[in-house]
């Protein structure tokens, strides 16, 4: 297993040959493709992925700690397969459609300007997370903890307060419709 530290890796296509198994610490991946790549059992510590395509990447037992994703395409990524110990990620301007965060602890996670359509947050702990200007169309919130989360600038969400923990979460007045839709009432 390789150990790579403080390296900037640009314009590499790992979708065919794969990323060498290793521990990557404080590395920056810029404009790289990991589409359909098997990233299983790799370790990413304090890394940054910018303008990368990680769509359908496999993350079995992958450790991702204090890592940021910016302007990345991450369609269909199963984050629930990661090594959950100390999992810590933030997302800015990412396409995360069809991703799964099933049963993960993601307290305080930042989702900024992200497309989160049809994402699975079932049984996920998102306490204190920030959803800033995110599209949550058809995203699944079931038995999800979003206490103290901020969704004021996000839109298209449907969250049932009867099956999710929402205490002290912040919503905009226009977003309240997404909390009441299952009650079959008319709001004017």
């Amino acid at each position: 297993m390789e150990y790579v530290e403080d390296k900037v890796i640009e314009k590499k296509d790992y979708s065919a040959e794969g990323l060498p198994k290793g521990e990557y610490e404080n590395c920056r991946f810029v404009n790289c493709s990991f589409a359909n790549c098997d990233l299983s059992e790799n370790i990413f510590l304090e890394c940054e992925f910018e303008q990368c395509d990680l769509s359908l990447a496999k993350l079995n037992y992958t450790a991702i700690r204090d890592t940021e994703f910016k302007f990345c395409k991450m369609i269909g990524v199963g984050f629930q397969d990661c090594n959950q110990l100390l999992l810590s990620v933030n997302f800015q301007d990412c396409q995360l459609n069809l991703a799964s965060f099933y049963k993960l602890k993601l307290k305080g996670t930042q989702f900024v300007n992200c497309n989160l359509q049809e994402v699975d947050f079932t049984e996920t702990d998102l306490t204190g997370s920030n959803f800033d200007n995110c599209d949550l169309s058809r995203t699944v919130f079931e038995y999800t903890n979003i206490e103290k989360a901020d969704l004021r600038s996000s839109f298209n969400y449907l969250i049932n307060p009867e099956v999710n923990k929402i205490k002290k979460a912040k919503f905009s007045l226009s977003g309240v419709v997404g909390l009441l839709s299952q009650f079959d009432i008319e709001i004017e």
Side-chain angles (χ1 to χ4, degrees):
M1 188 179 247
E2 287 187 44
Y3 178 75
V4 182
E5 184 180 20
D6 299 324
K7 190 170 180 186
V8 177
I9 301 165
E10 295 185 77
K11 298 180 181 175
K12 295 275 188 179
D13 186 353
Y14 294 106
S15 55
E17 80 242 18
L19 180 71
K21 291 250 185 281
E23 182 174 332
Y24 297 86
E25 185 171 353
N26 199 33
C27 290
R28 195 163 163 245
F29 298 90
V30 182
N31 202 13
C32 295
S33 179
F34 301 94
N36 296 299
C37 194
D38 188 351
L39 298 174
S40 297
E41 299 177 9
N42 279 301
I43 299 169
F44 299 100
L45 303 171
E46 298 178 13
C47 290
E48 185 176 303
F49 291 82
E50 189 174 326
Q51 297 179 343
C52 293
D53 185 355
L54 292 105
S55 296
L56 298 173
K58 291 175 187 66
L59 300 176
N60 298 326
Y61 306 105
T62 303
I64 306 174
R65 296 186 188 119
D66 297 321
T67 294
E68 305 226 351
F69 297 91
K70 298 178 180 178
F71 302 96
C72 290
K73 183 177 177 183
M74 307 175 79
I75 295 170
V77 175
F79 288 94
Q80 78 279 355
D81 297 328
C82 287
N83 179 339
Q84 296 181 24
L85 186 65
L86 303 174
L87 175 66
S88 174
V89 291
N90 287 307
F91 304 93
Q92 178 186 331
D93 296 289
C94 291
Q95 292 179 25
L96 286 153
N97 297 356
L98 303 167
S100 178
F101 295 93
Y102 178 69
K103 281 191 168 183
L104 293 178
K105 288 186 169 97
L106 295 173
K107 292 180 179 183
T109 298
Q110 301 292 309
F111 296 92
V112 179
N113 297 322
C114 291
N115 196 335
L116 295 160
Q117 294 180 10
E118 300 183 64
V119 168
D120 185 2
F121 284 123
T122 302
E123 297 184 45
T124 304
D125 186 351
L126 293 162
T127 303
S129 292
N130 182 32
F131 292 86
D132 185 5
N133 193 39
C134 295
D135 184 353
L136 295 160
S137 177
R138 296 179 307 282
T139 289
V140 178
F141 291 93
E142 286 187 23
Y143 307 102
T144 305
N145 186 344
I146 55 170
E147 292 179 341
K148 300 179 185 172
D150 190 343
L151 291 98
R152 288 179 291 182
S153 61
S154 288
F155 48 95
N156 294 332
Y157 53 82
L158 296 175
I159 300 171
N160 184 342
E162 294 182 322
V163 296
N164 294 288
K165 294 180 181 179
I166 66 168
K167 189 175 182 177
K168 301 214 180 212
K170 297 176 184 174
F171 302 94
S172 67
L173 190 55
S174 62
V176 171
V177 173
L179 297 172
L180 302 173
S181 64
Q182 67 277 356
F183 296 115
D184 195 27
I185 59 176
E186 289 183 33
I187 301 170
E188 293 181 16

